[in-house]
Amino acid sequence: MFKGFTRFLQGPGERLRSLFGPEEASGPAAGPRIIPRSEHPVSRQHFSEAALKVLYRLHNAGYEAYLVGGCMRDSLLGKMPKDFDVATDATPEQVRELFRNSRIIGRRFRIVHVRFGREVIEVTTFRGTHGDDHGDHIAQQSEHGLLLRDNVWGNIQEDAIRRDFTVNAIYYSIADFSIHDFADGMRDIASRTLRLIGDPALRYREDPVRMLRAVRFAAKLDFHIAPETERPIAELAPLLLQIPPARLFDELLKLFMAGHGENTFRLLRQYGLFAMLFPETDEAMAELAWIEPLIEQALASTDQRIHEERPVTPAFLIAALLWGPVQRRQTALEANGMPPIPALQLASQQVLSRQLQHISIPKRFSLPVRDIWDLQQRLPQRRGKRALQTREHPRFRAAYDFLLLREAAGEIAPGLGDWWTAYQEGDEHEQRRLLEKAGTDAGPAGNSARRRRPRKRRRRSSPGPS
Ligand code: ATP
Ligand code: MG
């Protein structure tokens, strides 16, 4: 179905240039470049029925209605859009009146969600430029230029230049199926460039999350970030510290749970953004070489699961992202004489509470994170009924996967992971044999492979590595 697109993008340079305009032009054009239906490859077949229904109902009620944002960008790249954003001149209340199945959400940025079964279409009223009074407006900016609210209504032209990247400001009109390109986004699609509309430093100050969005889209779309869009990031990265933790949690899921986490992580580190999200992990990474491979592998396996459409949980990733600092603190507490179990408990608690100042982690995720960490101490203990009890813990599977990750990243010596693999796969007889082995084996599979403390009363049966 997308063959036409590939041809469109790979088409002769001349054709693209004539559509996209002169190379040197940049930033918002004076008016839109309008591309009639006969000259672009996007057809209604690429849009969901729900999206079309919303567009037509708005149109038939006399409002303007356009598809815009990710769905247009993805369609033009020949990818299946994952959701649809509609822009209109109808106010949220007017949209609400047209659709029974809708509700207004958001305060900072009021939009309407129109629901069709499991699909939600986001309908946004054209945003206007600040400073001019549109009566119904509420816009607020902090002393640093941070946009606290953005509910000034405007026209489509104003709406386009309020958007973040040129490739996100391409509109598809339901009135005549034409594309309206306000900021040379079509040209940037063709050259796979992510370019902020307007003055980049100003746009990042208005909303520092745009720095994360730049990296997220670059990783997801395999685009490069234009030099002037890239330049201010190093200096402005600390502005992310002003963003409410709840918003950063939403953004975190989009960064790491969308199938491109590993690439995204590399770019976040490259641009100095990761340190603003996970400061303690960033510090620990400078000291402990295994942290980076541990995180990369956790992200790589999450990416793979997403591509295979298998279930994923943020808890596993969060456990991996914060395990480095937990281990660093635990080591320090133990060095001060605290026994390992309370040291891990206290370290976990301290790391989570410091992290929560930056990114809020709902309890439904932080509790499993604690379980995954606690189980790391139980996995080496297999005598008597312990192995069976650990095996039956609801979070065993995640904790076992986490153990394999730690071994693969070189944090601990391999061995225990294989033991648990064999234990899970073995029949009763084999399990009994493994338990006996665990009872006598003092090698890495027999005890905690790391920081083993010599037992006081019992003689060690073999000198295994510590
Ligand atoms: P995807 O949904 O694939 O992650 P998207 O581009 O659709 O990508 P959304 O967060 O759904 O991203 O936003 C929809 C559109 O709203 C964007 O394409 C962009 O035009 C605009 N937008 C979203 N967030 C911002 C922002 N922080 N600043 C300016 N414009 C934004
Ligand atoms: Mg979207």
Side-chain angles (χ1 to χ4, degrees):
M1 147 163 49
F2 285 101
K3 268 194 208 126
F5 292 98
T6 327
R7 238 184 308 119
F8 177 72
L9 290 176
Q10 291 170 343
E14 267 324 296
R15 180 174 166 219
L16 289 179
R17 258 191 296 282
S18 66
L19 266 183
F20 302 141
E23 280 294 320
E24 60 277 10
S26 87
R33 172 166 299 129
I34 295 180
I35 304 160
R37 175 64 192 95
S38 56
E39 288 174 31
H40 71 72
V42 178
S43 111
R44 274 167 295 166
Q45 281 173 16
H46 305 126
F47 306 139
S48 75
E49 287 209 359
L52 290 170
K53 234 184 236 174
V54 170
L55 290 169
Y56 278 121
R57 196 171 303 171
L58 284 164
H59 178 69
N60 293 337
Y63 299 111
E64 289 179 61
Y66 297 85
L67 281 174
V68 65
C71 60
M72 288 310 294
R73 186 190 67 219
D74 293 349
S75 299
L76 285 162
L77 288 167
K79 292 177 198 254
M80 210 45 158
K82 70 170 175 52
D83 51 34
F84 296 90
D85 299 304
V86 170
T88 178
D89 60 349
T91 64
E93 288 73 19
Q94 288 167 332
V95 176
R96 181 71 200 87
E97 268 168 37
L98 282 179
F99 300 95
R100 253 188 325 118
N101 47 337
S102 68
R103 64 197 184 99
I104 300 178
I105 61 154
R107 248 166 60 88
R108 200 184 68 87
F109 202 87
R110 287 172 71 219
I111 58 178
V112 184
H113 273 180
V114 186
R115 182 175 285 281
F116 297 86
R118 295 181 62 186
E119 190 175 352
V120 173
I121 307 295
E122 273 191 16
V123 185
T124 311
T125 305
F126 294 147
R127 256 60 185 177
T129 16
H130 302 143
D132 42 348
D133 200 11
H134 284 262
D136 192 19
H137 84 278
I138 335 164
Q140 255 182 302
Q141 225 158 350
S142 81
E143 51 178 322
H144 305 290
L146 182 77
L147 214 48
L148 300 174
R149 287 192 188 189
D150 193 0
N151 289 315
V152 182
W153 313 143
N155 59 33
I156 186 172
Q157 169 98 32
E158 293 169 312
D159 186 76
I161 60 165
R162 307 276 327 128
R163 291 183 181 267
D164 47 7
F165 301 98
T166 60
V167 295
N168 285 349
I170 299 172
Y171 295 69
Y172 174 90
S173 163
I174 199 63
D176 60 4
F177 318 126
S178 61
I179 282 181
H180 297 221
D181 179 11
F182 289 87
D184 279 340
M186 295 292 270
R187 191 194 58 192
D188 285 338
I189 291 259
S191 62
R192 305 187 84 84
T193 308
L194 223 48
R195 191 190 312 277
L196 269 176
I197 299 172
D199 173 35
L202 201 74
R203 302 306 310 281
Y204 288 138
R205 282 183 198 283
E206 277 176 2
D207 183 3
V209 169
R210 288 173 186 150
M211 293 185 270
L212 299 178
R213 289 173 61 86
V215 163
R216 173 157 73 85
F217 292 133
K220 170 180 156 173
L221 306 170
D222 196 19
F223 271 34
H224 73 274
I225 306 178
E228 70 278 12
T229 297
E230 184 172 65
R231 210 170 292 121
I233 297 182
E235 189 195 331
L236 299 181
L239 293 177
L240 282 170
L241 301 173
Q242 301 171 13
I243 302 300
R247 182 162 179 224
L248 284 187
F249 180 73
D250 291 345
E251 213 47 46
L252 182 75
L253 296 185
K254 293 187 196 165
L255 286 165
F256 289 149
M257 306 282 293
H260 307 274
E262 198 185 358
N263 268 343
T264 306
F265 172 67
R266 291 217 182 96
L267 288 178
L268 286 173
R269 298 250 296 143
Q270 183 186 320
Y271 287 105
L273 295 168
F274 184 74
M276 303 304 144
L277 301 177
F278 291 91
E280 207 175 334
T281 306
D282 194 70
E283 282 163 31
M285 235 173 334
E287 256 175 48
L288 299 170
W290 52 263
I291 299 180
E292 194 170 338
L294 181 100
I295 295 174
E296 279 177 359
Q297 288 175 38
L299 288 164
S301 75
T302 302
D303 289 347
Q304 195 183 342
R305 289 181 73 100
I306 291 170
H307 291 130
E308 291 166 1
E309 299 188 0
R310 287 155 69 197
V312 285
T313 161
F316 187 79
L317 270 186
I318 296 168
L321 284 161
L322 296 174
W323 180 243
V326 168
Q327 285 305 284
R328 201 164 71 134
R329 281 183 188 259
Q330 185 186 348
T331 307
L333 291 167
E334 283 186 47
N336 284 330
M338 193 180 276
I341 293 180
L344 174 63
Q345 299 275 329
L346 184 59
S348 308
Q349 194 186 317
Q350 288 174 339
V351 167
L352 277 172
S353 69
R354 184 167 166 207
Q355 183 59 40
L356 289 174
Q357 295 168 7
H358 297 276
I359 303 183
S360 64
I361 304 172
K363 278 248 159 45
R364 68 178 185 285
F365 300 125
S366 63
L367 294 177
V369 167
R370 295 286 302 255
D371 283 344
I372 292 171
W373 291 344
D374 288 348
L375 280 163
Q376 300 309 303
Q377 263 175 347
R378 285 172 54 178
L379 286 164
Q381 322 277 324
R382 290 151 295 158
R383 293 197 176 85
K385 289 203 165 31
R386 289 193 181 168
L388 189 65
Q389 284 165 352
T390 300
R391 173 77 183 84
E392 282 172 355
H393 191 287
R395 226 72 73 184
F396 167 78
R397 184 68 209 194
Y400 159 75
D401 286 342
F402 198 73
L403 173 71
L404 295 181
L405 205 64
R406 295 171 62 205
E407 291 187 350
E411 182 209 345
I412 52 174
L416 187 57
D418 282 345
W419 188 94
W420 277 105
T421 308
Y423 181 80
Q424 291 173 79
E425 289 167 358
D427 56 16
E428 228 174 283
H429 174 75
E430 172 65 4
Q431 288 187 343
R432 211 167 316 123
R433 197 190 64 76
L434 283 162
L435 285 173
E436 276 163 22
K437 185 167 178 279
T440 54
D441 190 359
N447 283 291
S448 169
R450 197 182 52 84
R451 286 201 308 274
R452 249 177 47 215
R453 316 179 130 236
R455 286 172 195 276
K456 287 221 173 85
R457 272 169 301 155
R458 213 179 295 167
R459 211 171 58 81
R460 288 158 81 194
S461 53
S462 94
S466 55

